[in-house]
Amino acid sequence: MVHDLTAGLIELGLLEGDVQARIDDESYRRFYLHSTSHWLGLDVHDVGTYRLDEATPRLLAPGMVLTVEPGLYILMKTIFPLPIAVSAFVLKITLWLPNRGMTFSLMACRN
């Protein structure tokens, strides 16, 4: 995921140089502020571990709700030097795992 996002940032002209070099120096983190997902629950950013221990990931189970959001934040002033109302654009996908199948919603957020 980080490799593809970094390559896209270079393609857009927001970063320069080699993809691996930008990953190694972590300059992509200016736009990628967190991980790919988080739990949803009683709170918007519900707490919980993603691993049972260091080697064992938590398996998805019925009733769980989580986001899938690459979290690539590009401040509009980075692209357009004019003062505009929109500061960032984020794509979020919310997944709910019922007893059978899976449902999801797609939401675009303007911050």
Side-chain angles (χ1 to χ4, degrees):
M1 170 76 61
V2 169
H3 184 276
D4 293 336
L5 291 174
T6 304
L9 290 166
I10 291 170
E11 186 176 331
L12 289 170
L14 297 171
L15 292 177
E16 295 179 354
D18 176 67
V19 173
Q20 191 57 53
R22 296 300 65 86
I23 292 170
D24 292 344
D25 70 11
E26 295 188 343
S27 58
Y28 71 92
R29 289 190 109 3
R30 177 175 157 208
F31 304 99
Y32 187 63
L33 306 176
H34 55 72
S35 192
T36 309
S37 179
H38 62 81
W39 305 118
L40 291 175
L42 297 176
D43 194 1
V44 173
H45 293 89
D46 214 355
V47 297
T49 59
Y50 298 103
R51 298 188 165 275
L52 299 176
D53 58 45
E54 194 171 306
T56 311
R58 182 176 300 282
L59 298 179
L60 298 177
M64 288 183 164
V65 180
L66 66 146
T67 67
V68 177
E69 53 178 298
L72 192 59
Y73 295 82
I74 301 172
L75 294 177
M76 298 307 282
K77 67 181 181 180
T78 303
I79 303 170
F80 305 107
L82 304 173
I84 59 175
V86 178
S87 62
F89 181 81
V90 183
L91 179 67
K92 294 186 176 204
I93 300 169
T94 302
L95 300 174
W96 171 51
L97 304 167
N99 287 333
R100 295 176 186 255
M102 176 172 42
T103 63
F104 70 93
S105 66
L106 180 63
M107 175 177 58
C109 301
R110 291 186 319 173
N111 293 336

